Amino acid sequence: MSEERTPRSAREPGPTVSPRSLGRDLVVSLGFLTWADAIDHEMSWSADRMLERALVDPGIAHVLVADPVRSVASLLRRHPIGRAQEFPRGAGRTLVHPLRLRRRDPVSVRAAVRGYERLDAWLAKRAASAGLRRPVLVTTQPIHAACADRDRWADVIYYGWDDWAAFEPFGAWWSTIEWAYAEIARRDVAVLAVSQRIVERIGAPRSSVVPNAVAREDVEGDGSSPPWFADLPGPVALYAGTLEERVDVTAVLEAARALPDWTFVLVGHLASPGHFAEVAALPNVHLRGRQPRSEVLAMMARADVCLVPHRDTPLTRAMSPLKIFEYVAAGAHVVATDLPPMRGISDQCLLVAPGEDWAGAIRHAASRPRPTASERAEWISKNDWDARYAVWRRHVLHDDGIARS
């Protein structure tokens, strides 16, 4: 990358933003997952939660949402024409689908920047034609944030919900993403991220942490767990989440062997079957595929202990695990790997250093009393998505100048 000439649009920082210069229009450019993807996973991730609240926020006159730029073939394959996407179309609310010929982002900095400069210009034109005036741009794509033209937008915000320079499927783009992080900091792009690690990784002067949270309506519902879950023998330890390499299967394997009277249940999309082959062979371990969200939340409330057995990696140190907030809100006791994002969330969380005794921690967690209804309600009130959105909104729209911290 060192021999590449710095793209023209990224050479100089943009102007410092005055809070008084900001409008009340918003462009949200999604970097990796489309609006239809958000519907598929039931609007449960952090970017989805912020976006759905912005769309119904009466204080924001216009919101234009842009799906990630896709090839026509990719768009039709993943989201066929005619599929209902449940977007709240109406006055001041617009969803657009930017297209290109290329199926994937180019790997080199120069080519990637050219592509996102084109996207940035196209979005500004679409925003103007939709009636937006001096909109703030919020993007979840770091390369777009790095090369957005500051003269087009009232401000540019990068919203980071993972460290993409540590996300293994994006390995071919790590150098380009690292370049983007450096440009974000150099050009005074504001950063909002779900963890302190992401903020530190980028190093932008205007940075704030807005962790994950829970939806009160989810955890206060009366959903039922599936019959197969109710019929499981013995105490139950539950893990809910994508079954991939970030899960410490050695910890699960050793705990399941040490606790033969317990049943271990792992629910979620099986992204890495080989990684779970040995643990799946144990008689007291049950791997289930993706389950309806309402049933997963009910399982969390009924399990004896809920687990977050993450490996210690750069990616997991940058995460704000959504599941741990949902576990605690459901009233469960939690055993989790002792990583920075897990600390300080709740006294219901028992943290275990990598390589330490998970079986003993699970037994200890199961012996503790569950929180009372009032204790749960108090914790949820401090950690629900409405409270997080209020903070996110202040930073994005500079309501009280906090974003200049």
Side-chain angles (χ1 to χ4, degrees):
M1 293 300 171
S2 60
E3 71 273 16
E4 290 194 313
R5 187 164 56 88
T6 302
R8 178 179 56 81
S9 67
R11 288 181 190 169
E12 297 301 331
T16 299
V17 177
S18 166
R20 290 184 294 276
S21 71
L22 294 174
R24 283 297 179 265
D25 292 345
L26 187 63
V27 171
V28 180
S29 178
L30 303 175
F32 304 103
L33 299 175
T34 65
W35 172 263
D37 290 328
I39 296 296
D40 282 346
H41 55 246
E42 302 181 64
M43 302 299 289
S44 58
W45 297 354
S46 55
D48 314 335
R49 297 292 190 179
M50 298 305 170
L51 180 53
E52 68 177 348
R53 281 159 176 76
L55 286 167
V56 298
D57 187 336
I60 304 179
H62 294 85
V63 181
L64 183 145
V65 179
D67 273 344
V69 60
R70 293 279 191 262
S71 69
V72 174
S74 174
L75 183 69
L76 294 178
R77 184 181 72 252
R78 296 186 63 186
H79 305 300
I81 292 175
R83 173 181 173 173
Q85 294 191 6
E86 302 178 30
F87 186 82
R89 299 178 189 275
R93 302 297 183 257
T94 307
L95 175 66
V96 298
H97 310 280
L99 298 174
R100 65 184 176 195
L101 295 176
R102 183 190 290 269
R103 295 187 64 182
R104 305 173 73 192
D105 280 338
V107 172
S108 75
V109 169
R110 189 167 185 79
V113 167
R114 281 199 300 267
Y116 280 101
E117 285 177 340
R118 287 193 293 269
L119 172 66
D120 194 65
W122 183 85
L123 278 179
K125 290 179 181 178
R126 288 302 302 265
S129 66
L132 281 73
R133 295 182 299 172
R134 284 195 57 75
V136 174
L137 172 67
V138 177
T139 177
T140 63
Q141 162 53 260
I143 304 170
H144 184 193
C147 63
D149 186 339
R150 299 289 298 278
D151 292 333
R152 293 188 178 117
W153 311 105
D155 199 5
V156 178
I157 315 286
Y158 171 61
Y159 183 47
W161 46 277
D162 252 326
D163 180 2
W164 303 114
F167 186 56
E168 291 182 5
F170 289 178
W173 292 271
W174 281 356
S175 294
T176 302
I177 294 170
E178 288 169 354
W179 171 87
Y181 286 173
E183 283 297 293
I184 287 170
R186 189 181 73 85
R187 300 181 67 229
D188 193 32
V189 172
V191 173
L192 297 180
V194 299
S195 73
Q196 183 64 32
R197 173 57 182 157
I198 297 174
V199 163
E200 293 171 352
R201 182 83 168 78
I202 298 173
R206 295 190 293 149
S207 298
S208 298
V209 177
V210 184
N212 276 325
V214 293
R216 184 186 301 272
E217 60 272 19
D218 288 348
V219 296
E220 292 182 350
D222 56 356
S224 300
S225 58
W228 63 262
F229 188 82
D231 293 339
L232 292 171
V236 174
L238 172 72
Y239 171 80
T242 304
L243 303 177
E244 56 189 353
E245 281 81 0
R246 74 181 64 179
V247 177
D248 186 349
V249 292
T250 300
V252 177
L253 189 70
E254 292 177 353
R257 284 172 173 165
L259 300 171
D261 55 327
W262 279 68
T263 298
F264 288 74
V265 179
L266 287 70
V267 296
H269 170 59
L270 185 56
S272 306
H275 188 62
F276 291 86
E278 189 175 2
V279 72
L282 294 179
N284 62 332
V285 175
H286 298 261
L287 265 67
R288 296 279 179 163
R290 183 176 174 181
Q291 306 291 310
R293 180 167 168 75
S294 61
E295 294 185 1
V296 173
L297 292 165
M299 285 186 251
M300 293 177 184
R302 288 160 177 75
D304 295 273
V305 173
C306 291
L307 308 176
V308 191
H310 281 175
R311 295 166 51 222
D312 185 356
T313 69
L315 181 66
T316 58
R317 284 179 168 267
M319 293 176 64
S320 174
L322 177 61
K323 63 182 66 66
I324 201 169
F325 288 91
E326 293 176 333
Y327 290 164
V328 173
H333 280 296
V334 182
V335 179
T337 307
D338 186 7
L339 296 171
M342 312 287 192
R343 298 169 190 160
I345 294 174
S346 169
D347 292 340
Q348 291 167 232
C349 301
L350 184 60
L351 303 184
V352 183
E356 288 191 352
D357 180 19
W358 273 75
I362 290 170
R363 285 196 197 95
H364 179 62
S367 70
R368 301 168 67 187
R370 292 243 174 177
T372 65
S374 61
E375 289 170 337
R376 282 183 59 206
E378 181 181 1
W379 186 89
I380 291 170
S381 69
K382 297 176 181 177
N383 293 277
D384 75 354
W385 283 114
D386 289 339
R388 296 288 196 267
Y389 175 71
V391 176
W392 186 90
R393 186 187 193 280
R394 287 199 301 271
H395 287 283
V396 168
L397 297 180
H398 298 240
D399 280 351
D400 53 11
I402 291 178
R404 296 300 304 174
S405 60

